[in-house]
Amino acid sequence: ATILIVFSVLDIFPFILAQVGDPKIIVGPHIEGWNYLQYSSNSTQLSWVFNQAVPAWLVVSLLIHEKNLTHFAFLGGMLLPYGPIPFIGLFFLMVLQASRELINAFRKHRGPVVLKNIFSTPNLIAAAVIFPVYFLFYSSNSATSSGGFGLNTLSLGYFVFISVEFVIYLILIWRDSYKKPYFIFSVVGLLLVPFVTLGNEQDFCMRASIPMLFLLMVYVLDYLLNNIDGRKKKGLPIKAKALPLVFCLMIGAVTPFVEYRATFNQTIISVENGTSMYADKFGTLSNEGMNKDNFVTINSSDTFFYKYIAKGGR
């Protein structure tokens, strides 16, 4: 539980380095925005998008224990209503896993068995019942309906970003983890996600990465558990090779604690001033300034979904 709460990366280093030369270094309410890209810690996800993060964590936990492909579409369908962008990250992992199993099966002349699992009854029912409805629902979104997907270009900032955000952990646990299910796939996903944009912000990078970051945390935790000797009576109960990882986790914990501090301060200010804790930049439904926003629908009553599926009284 502690790892789940404090798991983060070394954001504090580039955040402070960016202020070198200033007369006073200030640690603001949110230190993960030091780059134009961003991966969010677990606590940051809970603060900003708990409705997307918690379902993604639960579904990824189920995915890890899923022994075959027969329920993949059903698992994805459970996440889709709550986190469409995390669903894309999950879908990426599922496609790679299905491809690997299919390739291995054909090598062993067992391809029809895997194909039967892919096109199982639960998968077909989920694909036929759940996905079309939510496709129409999300296609009404302002960003997707206006062609909001785009690409970031390769830059030095990208290499700095991935180095700080997960490569350091990758180096520390690679030797013990690279053969484990979904490890390589999550690494590939974390390398590719920053290149995709949606709308005017970097929400795709922050949210599609949630399943991969959760998997990274699982493998970090697994590495620690495999290097802890609870029966050791003298000295540290953890092996020396795991100490650099513990150090990184301790430094990374600064990020969630900054988030908690900001939440606490904002709560106090809101109570004292009698203001709302909600942050909604759209004060009306005038549809002005909403083009390519990732969380709204322009003229919703005119879309196919609201005309024919969610149709109701005036």
Side-chain angles (χ1 to χ4, degrees):
T2 301
I3 297 296
L4 179 67
I5 294 171
V6 304
F7 183 74
S8 186
V9 295
L10 311 181
D11 295 301
I12 190 64
F13 287 148
F15 184 84
I16 291 178
L17 287 174
Q19 301 183 63
V20 170
D22 293 346
K24 186 177 181 181
I25 295 178
I26 300 174
V27 177
H30 186 67
I31 66 174
E32 290 171 298
W34 56 270
N35 195 291
Y36 69 99
L37 301 168
Q38 180 180 318
Y39 283 160
S40 301
S41 70
N42 291 340
S43 291
T44 303
Q45 294 171 33
L46 286 176
S47 293
W48 293 84
V49 288
F50 64 90
N51 55 310
Q52 299 183 57
V54 175
W57 298 347
L58 293 174
V59 170
V60 171
S61 299
L62 293 172
L63 178 67
I64 294 173
H65 292 89
E66 187 65 33
K67 301 302 181 183
N68 55 54
L69 310 174
T70 55
H71 297 93
F72 268 27
F74 178 72
L75 290 176
M78 290 195 296
L79 175 58
L80 187 57
Y82 303 97
I85 302 180
F87 166 80
I88 297 175
L90 179 75
F91 181 75
F92 174 82
L93 295 172
M94 288 179 167
V95 168
L96 291 183
Q97 177 65 10
S99 300
R100 176 166 65 181
E101 290 197 21
L102 195 58
I103 292 172
N104 291 336
F106 275 113
R107 287 175 178 173
K108 299 176 182 178
H109 306 288
R110 298 182 68 251
V113 176
V114 176
L115 287 173
K116 183 179 179 181
N117 290 335
I118 293 175
F119 296 100
S120 65
T121 300
N123 281 343
L124 292 176
I125 291 176
V129 175
I130 300 175
F131 295 151
V133 174
Y134 281 98
F135 171 79
L136 292 172
F137 175 66
Y138 288 123
S139 64
S140 303
N141 178 274
S142 178
T144 56
S145 61
S146 58
F149 280 100
L151 293 174
N152 283 321
T153 57
L154 185 65
S155 66
L156 177 60
Y158 166 80
F159 292 103
V160 175
F161 171 74
I162 62 172
S163 298
V164 172
E165 294 296 322
F166 73 95
V167 169
I168 183 65
Y169 287 143
L170 187 63
I171 293 172
L172 293 174
I173 70 173
W174 175 268
R175 188 173 181 180
D176 289 18
S177 306
Y178 74 95
K179 292 184 179 180
K180 294 181 179 177
Y182 296 104
F183 181 80
I184 296 296
F185 297 158
S186 62
V187 171
V188 173
L190 290 172
L191 289 171
L192 295 179
V193 160
F195 290 106
V196 183
T197 63
L198 177 62
N200 296 326
E201 307 294 340
Q202 294 296 335
D203 292 305
F204 189 89
C205 179
M206 291 187 287
R207 308 310 171 215
S209 59
I210 290 177
M212 294 88 158
L213 290 172
F214 186 81
L215 282 169
L216 178 63
M217 182 204 69
V218 168
Y219 292 121
V220 165
L221 180 58
D222 182 65
Y223 180 88
L224 288 175
L225 292 176
N226 289 334
N227 287 281
I228 291 177
D229 185 1
R231 296 171 297 180
K232 191 174 182 180
K233 297 181 179 180
K234 294 183 179 180
L236 293 174
I238 189 168
K239 295 180 181 178
K241 71 174 186 176
L243 291 178
L245 181 60
V246 173
F247 176 76
C248 288
L249 289 171
M250 292 173 63
I251 299 299
V254 173
T255 299
F257 281 120
V258 168
E259 287 290 332
Y260 288 126
R261 184 194 66 173
T263 300
F264 177 80
N265 291 338
Q266 182 59 50
T267 302
I268 296 299
I269 293 172
S270 297
V271 171
E272 291 177 347
N273 297 337
T275 57
S276 172
M277 287 286 290
Y278 294 100
D280 186 355
K281 61 184 177 181
F282 300 117
T284 71
L285 296 179
S286 64
N287 295 312
E288 295 180 2
M290 297 166 67
N291 187 37
K292 289 191 176 182
D293 191 275
N294 293 340
F295 310 105
V296 296
T297 297
I298 299 176
N299 299 319
S300 60
S301 58
D302 296 333
T303 63
F304 182 91
F305 180 84
Y306 289 99
K307 271 186 176 180
Y308 302 105
I309 298 180
K311 183 178 181 181
R314 293 190 175 183

